[in-house]
Amino acid sequence: MTTDAPSLPSPIRVLIADDQVMVREGFSVLLNAQPDIEVVGEAVDGRQAIAQVAALRPDVVLMDIRMPELNGLEATREIVAADADAKVLVLTTFDLDEYVYQALRAGASGFLLKDASARQLGDAVRVVAAGEALLAPTVTKRLISTFSRIGEAAGFGGPLPSPQGRLAELTERENEVLVLVAQGCSNAEIAERLIVAESTVKTHVSRILVKLGLRDRTQAAVFAYEVRLVTPGG
């Protein structure tokens, strides 16, 4: 009697969009060395990234901001609008791109520094592929706080949402969870702070996203800063 061997989970499919060949090749080598990740394609500009996402249906797109033809911001917006399952991870040097904030609003699931280590790169891809936002409690909080102020001053995305409107739909506990999400806390950390089960936190986060009409935790964090539920540096 023979038994079938258990099937291995499909690797996470990644598309790398960057106009610098060394960045694409370097990230491709690092990611393909991971047993659970496979680079399925590359793109040299935003338009090619959109076409490659439609053709290859990757799980995660590593997206540079500054590219010819069509920048990463516009490409992210089009990709997310066309494919609700697409997860975009913005590539940045942190102190270079004022457009990162806009990319988060456009639907990007987080950002990754271009000098990330192989471990950080792999972990970032896994986090985003799993449907979580890449929200580190230190750097990302500072980034979102900074670009929240920039976004307000520059009028990015129009007027701020009304706290009395959308926030009024949240329960007191959901407001607490939203604040902690904006501060970069993971589900496990939120559960520990509120003394509840992690599954309960996941339920709260899901309800928050539905009630606010948001895509993921990153957009929830941006929203919290925009409506002053969380203040920069707070």
Side-chain angles (χ1 to χ4, degrees), residues 123-141:
D123 288 346
V125 168
R126 294 183 188 97
V127 166
V128 171
E132 297 286 339
L134 196 64
L135 283 173
T138 52
V139 178
T140 308
K141 179 183 176 183

Side-chain angles (χ1 to χ4, degrees), residues 138 141-146 148-149 182-183 225 230-234:
T138 52
K141 179 183 176 183
R142 186 167 67 248
L143 180 144
I144 292 177
S145 300
T146 300
S148 178
R149 297 197 302 271
Q183 292 175 343
Y225 280 102
V230 179
T231 57

Side-chain angles (χ1 to χ4, degrees), residues 25-116:
E25 290 182 349
F27 276 17
S28 182
V29 169
L30 291 176
L31 289 174
N32 279 326
Q34 307 284 331
D36 57 339
I37 299 174
E38 176 187 7
V39 176
V40 297
E42 298 179 3
V44 300
D45 58 50
R47 294 196 186 283
Q48 191 174 89
I50 294 170
Q52 289 285 68
V53 168
L56 300 172
R57 302 300 299 271
D59 300 306
V60 177
V61 182
L62 294 184
M63 180 75 74
D64 187 26
I65 289 289
R66 300 190 177 190
M67 294 187 293
E69 297 297 327
L70 189 70
N71 65 42
L73 173 62
E74 294 300 328
T76 295
R77 184 174 290 113
E78 290 195 30
I79 288 170
V80 171
D83 186 350
D85 294 327
K87 304 295 191 301
V88 178
L89 194 53
V90 173
L91 297 173
T92 180
T93 53
F94 178 60
D95 59 350
L96 176 64
D97 292 311
E98 68 273 20
Y99 302 111
V100 172
Y101 172 77
Q102 297 184 65
L104 295 177
R105 295 200 65 184
S109 294
F111 78 98
L112 182 69
L113 300 182
K114 282 193 174 182
D115 62 355

